[in-house]
Amino acid sequence: MPGNSYITVDITPPDTTGKSITVDGRHMTNASEINACPITVDITPPDTTGTSITVDGRHMTNASQINAVDITPPDTTSRSITVDGRHMTNASEINACWTGVFEDPESGIDYYEWGVGSKAGQDDVISFYFSSQDCASSAEDSTLELDNGHSYFISVKSFNKAGLMTLASSWAYVFDMSAPVSGHVYDGIKDTSPSDIDYQTDMSSISVHWEGFHDPHTVIKNFFVHIGTCSGCSNVMEQQYIGAHSEFTLSHIHLISGETYFSTVTACNTANLCSSVTSDGVVIDNSPPAVGIVQDGTTDDDIEYQSVRNVISAKWFGFTDAQSGIDHFVVRAGSSPGTSDIITQTKLPLTDIFLMTDIQLPLEKRIYITIRAYNKVGLFSEATSNGFQIDLSGPVIIQRPSLSHDLGSAIDGSVQVRSTLRIKWNVEDEQSFIERQYLSMGTHIGGEFNMTSTQLTGITTEYTLTGLDLHDGGIYIIKLIVCNGAKICVETDSDNILVDTSPPLAGMFAISTYHAAELERHTADWMTWSDYRLNMSWLGFSDIHSEIGSYHVSVGSEFMANDLNKVPGTPIMFTHNASGIQYKDEGPLQYFTVSTQKLTNFADIFVSVWAVNQVGLWSRMIHSQFQLIPGGFLDLIRRCSARSCIGHCVCSPRNSHCALNGDACNDISKVNTNTLLEVVDITDLTSTTQTKFTPSNTNLAAKWKISKNQGLQPQWYEWSVGLASMEIPEGVINSFTDPVWHHVGRSMEAVYSLPRGKNLKETVSYSVFVRVWYDKNTYAIFKSPGITVLSKQVPVNDLQGAAVVEKVPGFWKNDVDFIKAGILFTVSWENVFLSIPNSIEQFNLYLSSFPGGSDLHFVDVNIPSSSFGFNISRLMMKPGVRYYSNIVVSTLSGLRTTVSSDGITVDMAAPVTGLVYDGIGLHDNAYQNKSEIVSGNWHGFLDTESGLSKYHWCVGTKQSDDHCNVLSWKNVGMHTYVSKQLTTEIENGHTVYSKVYAVDSVGHMSPIIISSGVTIDTSPPVPISFNHSSNNLVQNPSFEETNGCFLDFSNISSKLLCTTDACLKPSSWHVNKEDCTVVIRSDVDTAYDGRSFCFVHGTIKQNISGLIPGEVYRLTFVAGHSPISDSAVQNIEGVVNFGDNQHIFLIFTKDQTHGVISPEVIWHKHSFYFKAKAEIVEAVLGSSDKNTGLLIDDVVIEQVLPLDSGSKVHVTTVVLHQWSSIHASWLFEDTESPIVQYLWAVGYTEGSTEIQGFTSVGVNTFGFNYNVTLVHSTTIYVTVIAVNAAGLSTKLHSIDVLVGLTPPEIFYVNDGTGSDIDGQVSHTISANWNVVDEESGIEYCEWAAGLQQFGNEVFEFTKTADVLKATSTMDRDKVFNKKIYLTIRCRNMAGLYTTACSDGIVISDQSPSARNAELEVLPQSITEYQQGNGHQASKTSVKMKWSGFSDPFGIMSFIVKFDGMDTDITTTIINVNKGISYLSLFGLKLSNDRYTTTVNAVNAMYLRSTDVTTNLTIQNSAPGLTGADASVTRKENKITVNWKDCFSYQGRMVFEISIGTTIGGADIIQWQETLNDFIEVEVPEKFKDDSDVKLFFYIRAIGESGENTSLNANTVL
């Protein structure tokens, strides 16, 4: 302590010269000559205690048992009690370490006890538990009641071997076993609507943002994102560090259209507990929906016409979107394609049908409906219907259905054929044309027949019903329904149609008979004759189906002759009289008068009668011979003979012959010289033209005529039917049951209907045979050419490829569905019909907008049956309307078949364009690393009409249609991806574009679509050397400016830190009202930069301007723990924002004490890199801890500047206490393609990963690892891999980085340029120091000057040009008369700091003051008496002391001068005691003389005070005795002793008196001193009355040097 220090000064010279004085190892100059004998100077005060034991020159107290005594407990160091990690994360087991926390150099540490409590020093959670080690684990105990978010303290008792204990507690550790609370993850860009997208069009980037993640106990320190094609997968992007911001975009990737991508966000708190949430996925869809087809109307087929005005409807199909699906439709309608003048755009739900009522549609205008389909990503495509028109009127019936006379009809309204009916009609509709017809047949009489309706084409006006089995006698009605294109139908029917295929039954003449039955058929006055007439009667002719209509009568003079008819050769017809007299059941008698030729010349006549029914069929002819009885009676010849060689006669039974007369028959069919006949087959009973085909398979008919008159004339005819291939009638009539031949007399026609159930064979030819008799023995057989049965419509070939098709000449396709407008095309029907040769009569061609119609075009010529195609050109066809080619084939039998093509449409629209990608994958390449290959792929090209037929592709370096300098146009067919090897490589960095156009089937070309281009990049990223500019863009970066106030660091408290005083807020920074933010100032080395720093509990913000968008900037700052005692939490975290980038930074785990850079605050430096997105960006710094703020200082934002050479990877390690981290930054350049990812790793060799594996940081140009343990003196390397968008990568290694866990060592700091000085007059201050860091070296040093140790009041820290010295000239007024302390702070390459301070230097020109100084020579008696009055007896030593010198900056030393007659000594004495200084001079040889001592005080500026002087007289002789005796007298009770003149002495003497009752005793007075030469003594009370007491007197004369002489005397009282 001051005043009690013991310093020995030994001025014994080291050699014989004696020129130096050594003071505690310091050399001082002795200005005087020193005697050759050794002189020892001792400036220690005399030892007055007498308790010191000297052992070998050492002072020790209580020398006994010195090794066994330890009276102090263990000491604590600056080390901390720690747990694994930043928090307690295990409720059942807690691991703690207190290595190096305690030390005990005396007895050593014996054992520990440790526990866990809710407060420091307590063990209410885990009771104190013994441990012999400095690390321990609690026993696994699941019953520990630790609450998440609460803080707990670990307390350790350390016992030394003396049993003394010291307690130390950790800072508070937060317990957290819970991962962050999961939030919500949304696909898409933040702050857009909707917040979560399910679909997107962007193919090169994917965005995700999230919210709601929070942790109620600890801080979420960072987020990680990985992306994949399944929930939780990472096959697209491995997990990547994002920082603390809540959004992320992955760019320059190749996404697949139609694929679903899921983003997983993982939030990790500072306890390293994580929770993950995956988005619901986003589907990539960059193409609009596939264009569909819109049909007018809601029926199955597209309508061309509509019959109502107040309804509009449509249906559609084909709108699909395989990627995102259809979201909704929008409909509009107008009078031209795509317009909306009828219906404005109207949104529809997800449907495929549209119906709107209460609308008035225009007439005589075509109406078009447009449907627009939107997919779920918002892209759309649309299609327009081909339109329709309104037709409010129905078809017009021009001719009702009726029988056609050309097929088996002899009488109107009747038909003789039961299997076939041919109907004709005529209808028209000029607006919407006839679309379809329905034909049906019903019965009016003779029912049991109803034919289902047959749908007919609109062009049909005649139809043959075949395959019927009509009832004889039935009356049928044909019903016809005709519908136009507007679906308006009208109905009509025919008149009654009578059907009868059976001829009438033949009767007999009503004439008297001799039959035993007495039939009595004869009627009076009938069956008579006269000259020119016959009165004939008959009965029995009947027809139950169609009744008898008439009778035909022929009269001749010979067998079967008709020469007696009134008109020879012409039968006479009589109408059936149904009202005649009924004769029993044989019907009414018929009475007719037949006019004839004159009969009187004939004895016999031959009469033929046959009946004709209502349909014109003839009954069998009855032919009888009558004898003309004079008087007018007719007598029937009942006995007759054969009239021909085969037995024809007039009296045989029906279907029988008379007995042959033996005449031979002469068949002259082959050689006939007689009259020849021509027999023709007919279906039209009114025609005589040969018909080759018949649609009936139940009926044959023929007529014949004389083709050549020669020889004999025909006498009568017989007919029969049979196969045309036979010479005689065979194959039709069953000769066993029915007569083969039927005679018709002289009639020349025949009709034969097959019995019901029998049919003619299809496609078989049949003939009618006619046997003509020239006389009774001569005949010839003639037959018709034959008629082929075609009762079925022409078969249509159903084999594949047989169809009515439209062809374009020269086009490869056999059947086109689309053509260009006005182009020539051919309708072909080759191989469509399977008809027998020569059976087709003709073809007719119609074109219509619906199958079977003719609303477009009618080819007004009959196309020959030999043709199978027809050219069509220059038709005005509406675009989008499908037109059908309708071929009507007519057989020679009159049957018609209509076959329609699949339609043809005029395609006037070019193909819809799609998207063109670069590359041949499923995605679009923006970059590629091959220069000799070009490739492209495309999709979305579409043509809903004629369809696509091919693509054309070229490649060029410009985005113009005609620029194909890399690869000329190539027809690639229908390939949608293609690659080509080039012969000439593309230059690196050039961008090439794929260009594609599609061609549809009719030749329309789409517009050329150009890809976005692919840039050729064959070079990997290039690492760039870089450094950082010195231009800090932050205003008030170290918080030196406020609104006028500062909070003093020495006066902080939690209350003051949260003041609302705006005066304490930092300038240029925005502070939220609810946050605690104050600027703190310290005059010592507390701030990292300058004198001030900021406490932030919340955030501070500043808009940083002057940024260059796209440039990289570094943001650095330092942060520290809050210094208030209330802040007991061991770990805190902060947040930094730069624009939309956010990171959490961790501050080192707080150690037991603070004091590396300064005694108060330890600063932790952080670095982050950002790319500026705008010229002004907001920077945010703050705390993330809920309860504790943090300190921030030295915020620097500076641009990263590329250099031509230098470091390419900057590596920084931060080591604070037991905590370490590593930071790296880098810079790469790639002018061709962007860099899409950086990965970095840390290891002990280049490229190795022992410390950290390769970790992706996205496109951040920096990385940091707060969770790393670095080993002192090891060399580490950072490896960075940069990957560009072309897939090329570059690996870069840092230089070797030596890990130093120890800060630099500063051995000393000297004021001045050399050895340390303590003062100076000049205001130019200098310092020099010695700093060493053998591991990593010194990076830089900085110095500051203050008015106190580690102070900075004079100037703040400034980097020094030299790491060992610095000089600066100061403002004299600022430093004059002040003591300046210089603080040196040095940083090593590992980022660790050491701070040291000088002992101060005074700047002043004032000398020390001696105004109150005192100098005294200390008594140094050789006797027990002190010397005095400047005298001493010793001639070998002098002791002196002085005090009272003053100097405001302290006395550095004293200059002491001692001189006299034979001595002159000058020496410098360091001012050690600060109060009183002592000096002892030993080994002197002084004379009895007077000596002078002078002392000057010297301050730090080496300025001397004025002299302070005292004198010393050396006198070593005692007073002498003169021989005189002392006198003793008593007066009453007083005794007077007088020794005047008893002693002789030159100086002043002091006398010491002792009086006792015995010799040497002093029981009366002891050692009484006086300057007088006498003394009066009071007689003691006990001796006042005793006269025998003898008193002894002792008188000692003491000289000024302490020398003395004694004198004795005695007396009796």
Side-chain angles (χ1 to χ4, degrees), residues 290-309:
V291 179
I293 295 175
V294 181
Q295 291 184 351
D296 299 299
T298 58
T299 58
D300 290 342
D301 298 319
D302 180 68
I303 66 170
E304 282 291 299
Y305 307 95
Q306 180 174 296
S307 61
V308 293
R309 297 183 65 185

Side-chain angles (χ1 to χ4, degrees), residues 346-366:
T346 303
K347 185 176 180 180
L348 301 176
L350 197 60
T351 182
D352 61 356
I353 192 169
F354 161 71
L355 177 67
M356 178 181 286
T357 59
D358 297 331
I359 188 173
Q360 195 72 6
L361 298 178
L363 299 175
E364 299 180 357
K365 284 187 178 180
R366 196 165 183 86

Side-chain angles (χ1 to χ4, degrees), residues 518-584:
E518 296 182 356
L519 296 175
E520 298 181 356
R521 295 179 177 134
H522 180 70
T523 302
D525 298 328
W526 292 97
M527 296 305 293
T528 61
W529 67 279
S530 63
D531 290 345
Y532 290 97
R533 61 183 179 184
L534 295 173
N535 295 313
M536 303 295 293
S537 65
W538 57 83
L539 79 171
F541 288 92
S542 66
D543 193 307
I544 62 174
H545 303 121
S546 60
E547 299 181 345
I548 303 298
S550 62
Y551 300 95
H552 292 261
V553 178
S554 286
V555 180
S557 59
E558 297 291 338
F559 182 75
M560 293 296 179
N562 59 5
D563 55 322
L564 296 180
N565 288 341
K566 184 178 181 180
V567 179
T570 299
I572 301 171
M573 186 188 74
F574 298 97
T575 301
H576 174 68
N577 181 13
S579 60
I581 299 172
Q582 293 290 328
Y583 180 76
K584 297 183 180 180

Side-chain angles (χ1 to χ4, degrees), residues 137 234 291-292 345 357 458 470 481 568 606 627 795 799 831 1054 1092 1112 1153 1179 1224 1291 1348-1349 1429 1558:
S137 298
S234 59
V291 179
Q345 288 195 357
T357 59
L470 302 177
I481 299 174
F606 294 84
Q627 184 179 6
L799 295 178
N831 298 323
S1054 58
S1092 304
V1112 177
T1153 61
K1291 181 180 288 187
Q1348 55 186 318
Q1349 280 201 322
N1429 196 27
T1558 61

Side-chain angles (χ1 to χ4, degrees), residues 1-230:
M1 296 295 292
N4 293 323
S5 299
Y6 295 89
I7 302 176
T8 299
V9 180
D10 185 2
I11 62 170
T12 303
D15 50 29
T16 57
T17 62
K19 298 299 183 180
S20 67
I21 299 176
T22 302
V23 181
D24 280 350
R26 299 173 184 257
H27 295 283
M28 296 187 171
T29 302
N30 187 351
S32 65
E33 179 180 356
I34 299 177
N35 295 331
C37 56
I39 297 175
T40 301
V41 179
D42 186 2
I43 63 170
T44 61
D47 185 357
T48 60
T49 64
T51 60
S52 174
I53 299 176
T54 302
V55 181
D56 292 337
R58 300 179 178 217
H59 293 283
M60 309 188 75
T61 302
N62 191 2
S64 65
Q65 299 179 352
I66 192 167
N67 292 328
V69 176
D70 185 0
I71 61 174
T72 59
D75 295 325
T76 58
T77 68
S78 62
R79 304 293 293 273
S80 295
I81 302 171
T82 61
V83 299
D84 294 338
R86 294 176 68 86
H87 305 283
M88 293 182 181
T89 57
N90 192 334
S92 61
E93 182 179 5
I94 298 175
N95 299 314
C97 284
W98 47 90
T99 304
V101 173
F102 303 97
E103 63 181 9
D104 194 302
E106 289 85 8
S107 61
I109 304 299
D110 189 17
Y111 66 92
Y112 306 96
E113 291 181 0
W114 75 287
V116 179
S118 58
K119 293 183 178 179
Q122 295 186 358
D123 63 343
D124 52 330
V125 176
I126 297 179
S127 299
F128 282 110
Y129 188 79
F130 171 83
S131 174
S132 62
Q133 305 296 323
D134 54 9
C135 287
S137 298
S138 65
E140 293 190 7
D141 186 358
S142 60
T143 63
L144 291 179
E145 295 183 357
L146 301 178
D147 296 323
N148 281 319
H150 285 225
S151 297
Y152 297 93
F153 297 81
I154 298 173
S155 298
V156 180
K157 296 178 181 178
S158 174
F159 294 86
N160 64 11
K161 294 179 180 178
L164 301 176
M165 182 269 291
T166 296
L167 174 68
S169 295
S170 69
W171 294 102
Y173 282 99
V174 175
F175 175 73
D176 190 1
M177 276 189 63
S178 61
V181 177
S182 298
H184 303 283
V185 179
Y186 306 111
D187 299 295
I189 299 174
K190 190 176 181 180
D191 298 330
T192 58
S193 181
S195 60
D196 181 42
I197 64 171
D198 296 318
Y199 309 91
Q200 73 174 46
T201 59
D202 190 352
M203 295 281 289
S204 61
S205 66
I206 189 167
S207 297
V208 60
H209 63 279
W210 52 93
E211 65 180 10
F213 286 92
H214 69 281
D215 197 304
H217 311 126
T218 53
V219 174
I220 295 178
K221 65 179 180 179
N222 47 42
F223 292 97
F224 298 89
V225 171
H226 62 269
I227 301 173
T229 55
C230 61

Side-chain angles (χ1 to χ4, degrees), residues 44 80 88 120 134 283 312 459 502 859 1103 1196 1228 1313 1481 1489:
T44 61
S80 295
M88 293 182 181
D134 54 9
V283 177
I312 185 170
I459 58 177
S502 59
V859 177
N1103 286 329
V1196 178
F1228 282 80
T1313 58
L1481 300 175
D1489 199 359

Side-chain angles (χ1 to χ4, degrees), residues 931-998:
S931 60
E932 71 281 3
I933 293 177
V934 289
S935 57
N937 70 93
W938 50 89
H939 69 277
F941 286 87
L942 183 68
D943 193 293
T944 58
E945 296 179 339
S946 62
L948 299 178
S949 65
K950 58 186 174 181
Y951 295 99
H952 288 260
W953 171 63
C954 84
V955 180
T957 56
K958 294 182 180 179
Q959 283 187 301
S960 58
D961 292 350
D962 57 348
H963 195 77
C964 298
N965 58 322
V966 176
L967 184 70
S968 59
W969 285 108
K970 303 291 182 183
N971 180 351
V972 296
M974 289 301 293
H975 292 291
T976 56
Y977 60 90
V978 65
S979 179
K980 180 70 175 178
Q981 185 85 26
L982 301 177
T983 57
T984 302
E985 293 188 3
I986 305 170
E987 291 186 24
N988 189 43
H990 280 207
T991 301
V992 296
Y993 303 89
S994 283
K995 306 167 186 184
V996 176
Y997 68 86

